[in-house]
Each structure stands twice: as C-alpha cells, then as structure tokens.
Amino acid sequence: MNSRSKYKTKQRDVILKYLQSHKGVHVTAGDVCDYFKEQGTPVGQSTVYRQMESLVDEGVINKYIIDGASPACFEYAEPESHCTEGICIHCKCEKCGRLLHMHCSELEKAFKNLLDKKSFKVDPVRTVIYGLCEECAGEK
C-alpha cells in the first residue's frame, strides 16, 4: 500500500461510489465534479483530481490519456475488466467522443510482429483508433 492510499476519506468514498455506479463508462474529472455539483454536494476540483489519481495508483480505476486535445478519462477497474486480458485497443468516435474497447487477435499478431521484426513494443493502453461509432456512422 502506498502512502497515498492510507487515508480513506469521505470524498474518496463518494467518488468511488460514483465510479462504481458508472461501470463500463469513461468519465472525466470534470464529469465527476459536475455530478456532485448537480447533487448539491460539490467536491472541489483539486480534491477530485487528487482522489482519482490516488485510486489510479491503487489500481481501483484505470486512467486513459487518449490525445493532447482531450481530458484524461477514468473507468472503474473491475477484476474482470475488458482491459485486463490480452491486448485492448481503444476506438474513439470523432463525432461524439465515445471511447470503445476492442479486443482483436489480428491486432495482437500485428503488435507481436512489430516487436519481433522491428523491436518496437506497442503500448495498447495508449493506442487509439479514430473513426465513427456505430451510432454516429448511422446518422444522416
């Protein structure tokens, strides 16, 4: 246990409950702040950032940095999380900003090939494919 995870505060508990209630959803620190403000229990932005970074350090939530133009997003890390087995690629919709997870054995083979032939190891957590999600692609 690192020093940041020694203290279990009320703010940490409410932030964790919020994230657990949004399993499978990517949220930003701003989303968390907005939610608590709407509920009439504002939690300071610096507190949210500090607590979320602590939860990342503890392995309780995952943090994704998609690109320099988007805020980091976070997701509750369930033990059977979709990003814990094999390679998980992230697909970002350029229209709505939605972040999807994709497992693909063909991409795993391509990443292994890059490592074997070019000595280049791909970081799948930071690998993002841009395009349109099914919902946005279907809109006219």
Side-chain angles (χ1 to χ4, degrees), residues 40-73:
T41 52
V43 177
Q45 186 175 7
S46 61
T47 299
V48 169
Y49 279 101
R50 186 174 56 255
Q51 291 298 327
M52 290 179 78
E53 287 300 330
S54 179
L55 290 168
V56 169
D57 290 347
E58 293 173 45
V60 176
I61 62 175
N62 294 322
K63 178 179 181 178
Y64 303 102
I65 300 172
I66 305 304
D67 56 41
S70 303
C73 57

Side-chain angles (χ1 to χ4, degrees), residues 13 27 37 42 58 95 106 111-112 114 119 123 125 128 130 140:
D13 290 342
V27 298
K37 187 175 182 180
E58 293 173 45
K95 187 170 182 180
E106 294 302 315
F111 290 175
K112 184 176 181 338
L114 276 170
S119 297
D123 180 355
V125 172
V128 181
Y130 294 88
K140 302 258 177 189

Side-chain angles (χ1 to χ4, degrees), residues 29-40:
D31 295 333
V32 176
C33 290
D34 291 344
Y35 170 79
F36 287 115
K37 187 175 182 180
E38 290 169 8
Q39 298 301 309

Side-chain angles (χ1 to χ4, degrees), residues 55-109:
L55 290 168
V56 169
D57 290 347
E58 293 173 45
V60 176
I61 62 175
N62 294 322
K63 178 179 181 178
Y64 303 102
I65 300 172
I66 305 304
D67 56 41
S70 303
C73 57
F74 301 85
E75 179 182 32
Y76 180 69
E78 296 181 89
E80 62 279 355
S81 173
H82 39 258
C83 282
T84 57
E85 294 181 19
I87 291 180
C88 180
I89 304 300
H90 300 94
C91 302
K92 183 173 182 182
C93 180
E94 294 176 297
K95 187 170 182 180
C96 70
R98 187 173 177 195
L99 186 66
L100 307 168
H101 298 268
M102 179 180 80
H103 291 276
C104 178
S105 60
E106 294 302 315
L107 285 174
E108 284 189 52
K109 289 177 190 173

